Each structure stands twice: as structure tokens, then as C-alpha cells.
Amino acid sequence: MTHTNTGNAAVFNDFNGDGKADLRWVKNNGEVSLWLMNGANPTATANFGPFNGWSVKDSSQDFNGDGKTDLLWSNANGAVSVWTMNGMNATSIADQGPYAGWKLVDAVGDYNGDGKADLRWVKDNGEVSLWLMNGANPLATANFGPFNGWSVKDGSRDFNGDGKTDLLWTNTNGGVSVWTMDGLNATAITDKGPYAGWQLVDAAGDYNGDGKADLRWVKDSGEVSLWLMNGTVPTATANFGPFNGWSVKDGSQDFNGDGKTDLLWTNTNGGVSVWTMDGLNATSIADHGPHAGWKLVDAAGDYNGDGKADLRWVKDSGEVSLWLMNGTNPIATANFGPFNGWSVKDGSQDLNGDGKTDLLWSNANGEASVWTMDGLNATSIADHGPYAGWKLDDLQPATATVSLVGIQDSGSY
């Protein structure tokens, strides 16, 4: 295709390591185009392929620790190819596989803490293989299992704060097992459960800010349980609810900038509740809505770069509302659109390196629009395309001023 960090903003695709998220397009024939971005416009582009059966599985990881995002390709036959990138140039390429019965799961872990993304594979019988990567090739591998009923639920969390990714397993019976890892060796293993009616949701939060991932469970009644973890075992737990119609939408964001994960709840009626957390205690709770026609999308952005997660809403008309948050309440809001055929594709990335999240829009006709944001103001806007057969691919591996209604500090709905 030819083309004639401070704050809380994320940068997933950054192929030249300049702290600015880059764009990746894909054509209907499988061709890939990378755009190095400087704000709303590209400074350089390059196309790759198409390669028969190949597609980019992940463009958010760094396999050689140079601070530049690399490309992880997968083939329909199960093979994998790792490309280490320097901007638009592949500095090394290595193909792996296919291996009978094996499939690559992800590259979100760093099991030896060397700053280089590692690979995790799974076999059709449930066996798991970890590859410690050094650039495009593995320097060591190890296999685990299969264990009856067990699979790795998450291979991206650190439960003991040693800077090395650990393994979180779940069983079909509801049991959970936490393995702390040192490279390819499990230093500790603890099984928990199963507990009748309970299911593990995730380990995305750190509710006491100790640098160790915590567990979040949900019961079939809607009751929520948080476990503060220290390695493979919890140091404290607490249950909340159930509250009629309410469930936790996101347990990974920090709304008051204290370094402790907070809880974002949504109700089936469209209402939202933000709880700022200090460990297992809610320090502040506020309800918002429901607002007719509006739905909360996510809290993935930090549009003013203050280190506090902000809210993004969408109306059934396509109108978008951003809320700059300071704890449980907004300090300012602004609405945009609706614009015919347009929707926000991503509200989590920083495209100009100013530490403030920007907006990436896409149109039903394939066009893309980049808005660099300073709080609730778009400092620059540029439209790109449409280009026949092309569409903007996902950046991540793989979420009107309205009246506010409070609730009791006790947290009862």
C-alpha cells in the first residue's frame, strides 16, 4: 500500500522504538503493511507478503529486548515465524515447525525475566511447551504435562514480584493452580479448589499495589472474591455481593493513580459503578447512570496523561463520550459525533509519544482516522484511506455530559 512516556497511555506496536504506537494494516490477500507513526501521520511505510498461509499473530512483543516491537507470524499449517524488527526492516527471521499436534498460544510471557518475550505452545492432548527466546530463536525449551483436566489460563502474570512471568492453570472441575516460575523451572506450586459454584475470572489486578498479581473469582450468584497473592498462596481474601444485576467489567485499571487496581462494575441496566480499592477495602464508591442509549466500552485510556484510567462510552447512535476520571468521579467529559460510519477502533494507544492516549477511528468503508488527544481536545486529526482491499488490523495482541447518581458508601446497591 503506498501512502501519496509519561502518563498511563499504552504503546503496543512500536516497530522503531520511538515511544509512538504504529499502525498495522492487512489486505484481503494477506499482505501486511506497517506504518511508522508520528502523531496522526506516518513517517514511513513498508509492505510484506503475501506469504501463502501466513498471517501476523502478534505485533506487540519484543523478542530480542531492543525496545522495538517484533512480528510473530503463524501459518495455517501450525508453523510459526519470528521476525525481529528495526523499524521497517527485519533484522532476523526464523521459522519454527510445524510440529504435529502443537499450536502456538501466545508470546505474552517472559519466564526468565530477561526482557525478551517467550513463546507458549499447547499440544492437542493438553501438554504445554515453554520456549525461552533470544531474538528469533529459542535458547531453551521445556514441556509440562499433560495433566488431566488442566490447562494454562494465563501465562502473562507475576505472582511473586520477581519480574518473571508465572503460570496460572485451571481445571475443568474449577480448581486452580499457581506456579511461580524461574525460567523453565517451577519454584513453587499450590492448588486451590474447586469451590462449589465458583470460577476464576482473571489475575489482571494488583489491588494492594505490591507488584504481585492478585486473583479475582466470581460465583454463579454473582458474588465476587478477591485474593491478595504472595506467590502461590493468598495472604488475604474478601467477598463482595452479590449485587442485583451487577458484575465486574474490569478489574485491571487504576482510577486514582495510587498504583492499586480498582474495580469497574456494570449493571444489566447500563449503570456503572467505580470502586477505588486499597487492598480489599473500597475507599470510595460512585454510581453513574444508567444513561438512555449509552453503554460503557472500556477504561483502557488515559487521555490527559495523569496516570488515572478514564472512561469511554458509546451511544447507540455511534456518539462517543470520554470521561476524565479522578478516582470514582469524572472531572470533565466531552462528546464526539456521531460521524456517519465511524466508530472508535482503539482508545488505548499513544501515537505521538506525549503520554496521553489517542483515538483511532475506523469507518465501515475501511477508512481510518487518527486523533491525537490532549485530554478532551483533539490536537490533530488525519484520515487515511480507504484503500481497496485493506483494513486496519488490531493494535493489541490479543474493550454528553450526564448527570451523576451516588450510592451509599457501604457499597450496597
Side-chain angles (χ1 to χ4, degrees):
M1 177 180 1
T2 57
H3 186 269
T4 57
N5 224 347
T6 59
N8 198 41
V11 177
F12 282 108
N13 294 356
D14 181 10
F15 301 105
N16 58 350
D18 64 354
K20 304 170 186 178
D22 300 317
L23 299 186
R24 177 165 58 89
W25 300 72
V26 65
K27 199 172 184 181
N28 51 20
N29 67 354
E31 187 176 2
V32 171
S33 185
L34 303 184
W35 290 20
L36 301 184
M37 301 298 292
N38 182 23
N41 290 290
T43 59
T45 71
N47 290 19
F48 305 92
F51 307 115
N52 187 35
W54 290 93
S55 60
V56 173
K57 179 178 179 69
D58 193 335
S59 62
S60 68
Q61 306 299 328
D62 178 7
F63 290 100
N64 59 354
D66 66 352
K68 302 171 186 176
T69 305
D70 302 314
L71 291 179
L72 178 62
W73 300 74
S74 60
N75 194 289
N77 67 8
V80 168
S81 186
V82 179
W83 294 22
T84 57
M85 302 297 294
N86 181 18
M88 305 276 88
N89 301 304
T91 58
S92 65
I93 296 175
D95 296 347
Q96 312 287 344
Y99 307 110
W102 287 92
K103 178 182 179 181
L104 182 68
V105 180
D106 60 40
V108 298
D110 178 10
Y111 301 102
N112 58 351
D114 64 355
K116 303 171 186 178
D118 299 320
L119 299 185
R120 178 165 61 94
W121 301 72
V122 67
K123 198 172 185 182
D124 47 23
N125 67 354
E127 187 176 2
V128 171
S129 186
L130 301 184
W131 290 22
L132 304 184
M133 300 298 291
N134 183 25
N137 289 290
L139 54 85
T141 71
N143 289 18
F144 306 91
F147 308 115
N148 188 36
W150 291 94
S151 61
V152 174
K153 180 178 178 68
D154 194 330
S156 69
R157 307 298 173 183
D158 179 6
F159 290 100
N160 59 354
D162 66 353
K164 302 171 186 177
T165 305
D166 302 314
L167 292 178
L168 179 62
W169 300 73
T170 54
N171 195 289
T172 52
N173 67 6
V176 169
S177 188
V178 179
W179 294 23
T180 54
M181 302 296 294
D182 180 11
L184 300 176
N185 301 304
T187 58
I189 297 175
T190 301
D191 297 345
K192 297 292 183 182
Y195 307 109
W198 288 92
Q199 180 181 15
L200 182 69
V201 180
D202 62 39
D206 178 11
Y207 302 102
N208 57 351
D210 65 353
K212 304 171 186 178
D214 300 319
L215 299 185
R216 177 165 62 95
W217 301 71
V218 67
K219 198 172 185 180
D220 46 23
S221 65
E223 187 176 2
V224 171
S225 186
L226 301 184
W227 290 22
L228 304 185
M229 301 297 291
N230 182 23
T232 62
V233 297
T235 59
T237 71
N239 290 18
F240 307 90
F243 309 116
N244 188 35
W246 291 93
S247 60
V248 174
K249 178 178 178 68
D250 193 331
S252 68
Q253 305 298 330
D254 179 7
F255 290 99
N256 59 354
D258 66 352
K260 302 171 185 176
T261 305
D262 302 314
L263 292 178
L264 179 62
W265 299 73
T266 55
N267 195 289
T268 52
N269 67 6
V272 168
S273 188
V274 181
W275 293 24
T276 56
M277 302 296 293
D278 180 12
L280 300 176
N281 301 305
T283 58
S284 176
I285 296 175
D287 270 9
H288 306 285
H291 310 294
W294 288 91
K295 179 182 179 181
L296 183 68
V297 180
D298 62 38
D302 178 10
Y303 301 101
N304 58 350
D306 64 354
K308 303 171 185 177
D310 300 318
L311 299 185
R312 177 165 61 96
W313 301 71
V314 67
K315 199 172 185 180
D316 45 24
S317 65
E319 187 176 2
V320 171
S321 185
L322 301 183
W323 290 22
L324 303 184
M325 301 298 290
N326 182 24
T328 59
N329 289 294
I331 55 173
T333 71
N335 289 19
F336 306 91
F339 308 115
N340 188 35
W342 290 93
S343 60
V344 174
K345 180 177 180 66
D346 194 307
S348 69
Q349 303 297 312
D350 179 9
L351 292 147
N352 61 352
D354 66 352
K356 302 171 185 176
T357 304
D358 302 312
L359 291 179
L360 181 60
W361 300 73
S362 60
N363 194 292
N365 67 5
E367 193 174 1
S369 186
V370 179
W371 293 24
T372 57
M373 302 296 294
D374 180 11
L376 300 176
N377 301 304
T379 57
S380 65
I381 297 176
D383 297 343
H384 304 285
Y387 308 109
W390 289 90
K391 74 172 183 177
L392 189 65
D393 214 345
D394 293 334
L395 295 188
Q396 299 187 44
T399 147
T401 303
V402 286
S403 60
L404 310 177
V405 181
I407 61 172
Q408 298 294 323
D409 286 343
S410 66
S412 298
Y413 290 95

